[in-house]
Structures are given as C-alpha cells and as structure tokens.
Amino acid sequence: MPVVIDRARSRDRIAHDVLTLTEPQYTSSSTAICRYAYTPEYRRTADYFAARLRELGFEVWEDAVGNLVGQNVPRGERVYGLGSHCDSNRNGGPWDGPLGVAVALEVCRLSGEHGLDLPLRVISFLEEEGSGFGQMLLGSRIAAGRITDEELRDGLRAIDDGRPFVEHAREAGYRPQEWRSCSETLDDLDGWIETHIEQGRVLQDEGTTLGIVEAIAGYVHADVHLDGRAGHAGATPMIGRADALATAAEIILEAERLAVQAGHATVATVGELDVEPGLINVVPGAVRLSLDTRGVREDAFRGVASALESFAQEAARRRGVAARYVQRTAVAPTPMDAGILAALQESADAAGITHRRMASGAAHDTMCVAGRAPSAMVFVPCRDGISHAPEEDSDPADAALAAEVVLNALVRLRATAPS
Ligand code: GLV
Ligand code: MN
Ligand code: MN
C-alpha cells in the first residue's frame, strides 16, 4: 500500500522553505536571487537547511570544500541520498536548486511522521551553477573525483575578484587541499534521487504533473579567443580590416546552424562576449566568446564543438584574424538507473499522478552522483519553462506530489533491496 501523505501540509512546508530563501539576507541582489559559494548569503542559506535537518535529529556536516550533508543514521551505514544545490545562477530565481533540497527535507519529515525510518542522507552540493567560479557542478565534480589538482589550484578563479578558488575556500574555513576526502560524501549510497524544476515547458504544455528523467544531456564548454587589429572606425577602409567582432558574428551564426543541423535536440549557445576595446569608434581588435553545446547524443554535441573550432580557424584566416579554441569542460550524457526509474514510475502510477519519461537538457549534480550510485531525477513543472531568471516560478503543490512519489519510490526500493 502506498504511503498517503497530507499533500496540503507538504505543499505549505515546501513553499515556506523555498520562499523564505528569497528574503534579503539570502540573496545579494534585490532584482534576482544571487548567492555564490563562500558568500555570506550562501552561508546563511546552507545554515537554514542545516538547522531544519538538525530539528529532525539528523547529524549535519560539511565536507572539505563545503558540500552540505545531513544523515539520520550513523556514518558508514547504507543510505538513500536525496538533494540538489542551494547556490543560484547570476540571474537566478527562487526554485532552481532550493526546490530539490526542500523536497529532500520534506521526504525526511514524512519518513519520520509516517514511521518509515528510511535511512536517509540529504546533500546540498556546492556551486552547482558555476556562478562563483565559472565552472558548473563544482561540488559534485569534486566529490566524484572529476577534477584535478591543477584545475582546482590554477583553473578556478572567482568571477567577482579573480582570486583563486582555494584562497576563497580557505578563508571560508574549508580545507580545499583535502578535496579527495570529499569522495566520502558519495559513499554508502544505495540510490540517489534529485528533484528539480523542469526548466522547460513540456510538462506545462502537456498538462503532465511530473517528469521522470531518464537521461541528462552532456555538454562541451569552451572559449574562442580572436585576435585581430584595432583601428580607427572612420579612417580604416573596409577592405583589409582584421575585425575580431565581425569574425565572432560569423562564428555565432555558425554555432546556431551547426546545432540545428546536428539534430537529436542538440543545442548550442554563445552566452558570453568580451569585446576589446569596446568603443563605438574603434574596429574591434580582440574578442572572447563562449560556447555551450549540449545534448543526449554525445557524437552530435561533440561534433558541433569540433566543427565550430574548424570553422573559427577558417573564418579567422579569411579575415586576417588569429583564432584560439580552448575547451573548459566536456561532460558525457548520463543515463539514469532503470531500477530507480521503475520505482518512481510505479509510485506515481499508484498515487494517480500523471508523469512522463523525459531527458534533461540542463546539467545537474546527479550527473556526478550517477557514477557512484544508482540515480534518477524527478522534474516538477515551472511556469512557461522560465528558469535562470528572477521570474522563475513553480507550484509547491506539484513539489508536494514529487515528495510523495520520491518517498514511495524509496519505500519500494527498500522493500525489494537484497538484504
Ligand atoms: C545548470 O544550471 C545548467 O546550466 O545546466
Ligand atoms: Mn539547478
Ligand atoms: Mn541552474
């Protein structure tokens, strides 16, 4: 028999948790949610969740870089893991991340209230968005060992002040030199489920309540640096210019064309553009543009990245510009675990909650957890698919249904687990 929950009570508790974190002490901006690793707003947010977990009797700690962990059984025992992240995008809304931690917390409350005594660990990963240090999934990548000493020491600098990650981490009281010990954050997991807003509009448009995520898109993140020749905008003839920005314009349009041509829902985005000297009356001498290309077909999005690199060289040569392509990160697509997917689906069916299988176009910490434990995700609709924007909105009533489905999926998994 499925566990029947008081949905209105769960809705109100999840809404309270997520909306409390929109108050001024939890964000550094009055127009968006902004909180990045090792800032006071982030500290207060992690403390909020830590306090709620302690109220439930969980032991709470942080690993050597600051991933927050709470557990209701002694360390070393097998557990089911739940959670997400509570940092935000630089143009963030209330729900991306905190929803998953709030749903995890709600499942912990429900497990206690219904006398289920599930062995649970909640994780809120550090710096999922890359808003503090420019690389996504940082806390979960560190825990999964998907980083090198060199990257941590030399490759990561704070976007706001250019100082190294390790310096910020030490100042905040952490031990980044011991980052390998963070692997313990992912020890002993019999399963992992992250709940998240969909960040698209498929569920809303179809009128389906929950998404059960069967694969997460992989991605390539890279930069193209173009060095041309600055000159007087009035006195330099059109023939013979080495305009770095005109070259970038060709590359941006080619990225769009290549993604459409690649098919399989492959996407490509140029979201960052630095122009030097950036003056109305000067031919642009240097440009840096970013590339984000993703999909669930690795050959397709990697093909976009490599074709764009060749195109950039060719376009630059034609225009007398030098091009340099530098990859930041490449992450493979991640399939989810069939057993957890089935448990989620059966639980949703038993509760009469509509659902569909889907892929996630966005990246999630679950990509890193999946290398260590059977993993899956649940998506909750978000209004008009808007995310990474202050207007991001979601219905806590749907989040309560996600909590109910996750709770029942864990009960099923435990009932069928080999003893
Ligand atoms: C994570 O927020 C992403 O951009 O996929
Ligand atoms: Mn997120
Ligand atoms: Mn995000």
Side-chain angles (χ1 to χ4, degrees):
M1 275 297 285
V3 182
V4 178
I5 70 163
D6 179 339
R7 291 176 175 172
R9 184 178 61 175
S10 290
R11 176 200 63 203
D12 292 347
R13 294 193 296 212
I14 293 169
H16 177 79
D17 289 333
V18 173
L19 298 178
T20 297
L21 298 173
T22 63
E23 290 171 6
Q25 66 269 35
Y26 300 108
T27 166
S28 61
S29 159
S30 57
T31 54
I33 301 296
C34 290
R35 54 175 168 258
Y36 321 133
Y38 309 141
T39 61
E41 302 77 38
Y42 184 78
R43 178 70 268 153
R44 288 192 275 269
T45 305
D47 286 346
Y48 176 86
F49 281 121
R52 300 293 79 76
L53 286 164
R54 287 199 180 98
E55 282 165 10
L56 298 179
F58 278 51
E59 183 190 353
V60 179
W61 68 92
E62 289 180 343
D63 67 16
V65 298
N67 292 309
L68 177 75
V69 190
Q71 182 162 310
N72 65 354
V73 292
R75 295 200 211 186
E77 291 192 11
R78 305 293 301 174
V79 288
Y80 294 111
L82 302 170
S84 188
H85 62 95
C86 62
D87 61 311
S88 82
N89 187 265
R90 281 194 168 244
N91 190 41
W95 301 88
D96 176 358
L99 170 80
V101 187
V103 167
L105 184 58
E106 182 59 19
V107 172
C108 296
R109 293 185 187 114
L110 293 169
S111 170
E113 288 163 358
H114 289 267
L116 302 173
D117 292 325
L118 291 164
L120 295 171
R121 176 182 302 165
V122 173
I123 308 176
S124 178
F125 287 104
L126 183 89
E127 182 69 358
E128 189 267 358
E129 296 286 351
S131 295
F133 296 91
Q135 288 216 11
M136 297 193 311
L137 313 183
L138 187 58
S140 55
R141 281 175 61 206
I142 291 172
R146 295 186 182 182
I147 196 130
T148 61
D149 277 320
E150 294 67 39
E151 274 178 281
L152 265 191
R153 204 184 43 235
D154 309 322
L156 285 165
R157 290 182 174 269
I159 293 172
D160 283 334
D161 66 12
R163 288 167 54 228
F165 169 78
V166 288
E167 228 171 88
H168 278 279
R170 273 194 208 104
E171 279 172 19
Y174 298 98
R175 306 174 309 285
Q177 69 284 2
E178 294 172 26
W179 66 270
R180 284 194 173 76
S181 69
C182 300
S183 127
E184 290 170 15
T185 295
L186 302 180
D187 278 352
D188 308 315
L189 289 173
D190 276 338
W192 165 263
I193 304 175
E194 176 174 2
T195 304
H196 204 282
I197 52 167
E198 179 197 348
Q199 304 180 286
R201 52 181 301 157
V202 173
L203 296 173
Q204 172 187 288
D205 290 354
E206 265 189 12
T208 303
T209 307
L210 297 179
I212 296 180
V213 177
E214 54 191 354
I216 305 176
Y219 61 94
V220 170
H221 275 184
D223 293 288
V224 180
H225 300 266
L226 300 167
D227 279 305
R229 199 174 47 253
H232 194 294
T236 312
M238 294 311 288
I239 306 296
R241 288 185 175 199
D243 184 329
L245 187 55
T247 314
E250 284 197 44
I251 296 169
I252 294 167
L253 291 179
E254 181 66 2
E256 199 175 49
R257 197 192 66 75
L258 285 168
V260 172
Q261 180 186 283
H264 307 290
T266 307
V267 291
T269 307
V270 173
E272 296 172 359
L273 196 62
D274 303 329
V275 182
E276 297 284 333
L279 296 168
I280 191 171
N281 57 357
V282 182
V283 177
V287 164
R288 178 191 67 87
L289 61 98
S290 63
L291 171 68
D292 171 316
T293 177
R294 311 192 194 198
V296 286
R297 279 283 296 268
E298 188 162 12
D299 55 342
F301 71 80
R302 279 191 184 272
V304 168
S306 65
L308 194 72
E309 177 178 5
S310 308
F311 180 87
Q313 295 297 352
E314 188 270 313
R317 201 173 315 111
R318 216 173 350 96
R319 287 174 169 275
V321 169
R324 194 162 47 89
Y325 175 97
V326 183
Q327 183 175 290
R328 287 194 215 174
T329 343
V331 178
T334 311
M336 301 286 91
D337 178 78
I340 308 242
L341 292 174
L344 288 166
Q345 198 161 323
E346 287 158 15
S347 301
D349 284 336
I353 297 168
T354 57
H355 59 88
R356 61 165 284 153
R357 294 277 184 113
M358 62 195 306
S360 169
H364 297 286
D365 293 310
T366 295
M367 300 174 87
C368 296
V369 184
R372 294 285 305 279
S375 298
M377 292 188 69
V378 175
F379 274 173
V380 172
C382 61
R383 189 168 48 81
D384 299 335
I386 296 168
S387 182
H388 286 187
E391 298 76 28
E392 180 178 88
D393 195 14
S394 187
D395 186 345
D398 291 333
L401 298 180
E404 178 175 337
V405 167
V406 170
L407 180 81
N408 277 294
L410 296 183
V411 169
R412 277 169 194 272
L413 288 167
R414 189 173 56 167
T416 53
S419 49

